[in-house]
């Protein structure tokens, strides 16, 4: 599993509040182009985000499903992007001094062709994508201070 981490200058609850707002995912998840719908129960286990990913006109529609939700410390999703496959994405939030949060983002392909085409280039792209994703998450969480 590829793991990236970042310390965000906001408490865990504020960071988790961004994760809990499904409509913001296209603002901070790199590659998500559009949120089509968010289940009313989001982020309860079993609820889904319905998204479009990739550039138009080649974008794909799929959904991501909550597997684990432990506010404000952990959220695990099964992110679909068929026919490319699906991934398990885990966010872990840990308080650190001064009201900040260490966020760990782990992602691993769980099914489909992307699982079978595992190599160093894919790992590097995924690592950079997830670093940028956490930078965007940080921007939104810290912007919500006041």
């Amino acid at each position: 599993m590829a793991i990236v981490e970042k310390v965000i200058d906001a408490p865990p609850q504020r960071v988790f509040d961004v994760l809990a707002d499904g409509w913001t995912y296209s603002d901070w998840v790199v590659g998500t182009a559009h949120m089509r719908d968010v289940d009313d129960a989001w982020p309860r286990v079993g609820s889904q985000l319905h998204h479009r990913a990739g550039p138009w006109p080649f974008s794909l529609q799929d959904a991501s499903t909550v597997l684990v939700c432990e506010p404000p410390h952990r959220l695990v999703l099964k992110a679909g992007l068929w026919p490319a496959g699906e991934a398990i994405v885990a966010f872990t939030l840990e308080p650190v001094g001064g009201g900040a949060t260490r966020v760990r983002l782990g992602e691993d392909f769980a099914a489909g062709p992307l699982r079978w085409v595992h190599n160093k280039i894919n790992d590097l792209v995924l690592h950079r994508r997830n670093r940028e994703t956490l930078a965007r998450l940080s921007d939104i969480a810290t912007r919500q201070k006041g």
Side-chain angles (χ1 to χ4, degrees), residues 6 22 31 39 46 49 59 97 103 112 127-128 130 137:
K6 178 174 183 60
D39 288 359
L49 295 174
S59 59
V103 180
H127 181 80
R128 289 183 182 213
N130 287 344
L137 175 65

Side-chain angles (χ1 to χ4, degrees), residues 36-99:
R36 297 179 296 115
D37 194 16
V38 177
D39 288 359
D40 290 339
W42 181 265
R44 254 189 269 147
V45 172
S47 63
Q48 293 187 321
L49 295 174
H50 306 271
H51 48 74
R52 183 182 299 273
W56 183 89
F58 306 107
S59 59
L60 303 171
Q61 292 186 42
D62 211 324
S64 294
T65 305
V66 177
L67 301 177
V68 177
C69 181
E70 299 168 352
H73 303 290
R74 191 164 176 243
L75 183 66
V76 180
L77 310 173
K78 178 175 65 174
L81 191 56
W82 288 99
E86 65 187 23
I88 302 299
V89 181
F91 294 92
T92 305
L93 287 64
E94 172 188 338
V96 293

Side-chain angles (χ1 to χ4, degrees), residues 15-42:
V15 177
F16 196 87
D17 288 347
V18 178
L19 298 177
D21 182 355
W23 289 105
T24 69
Y25 274 59
S26 60
D27 295 338
W28 59 271
V29 176
V30 174
T32 302
H34 175 69
M35 297 309 302
R36 297 179 296 115
D37 194 16
V38 177
D39 288 359
D40 290 339
W42 181 265

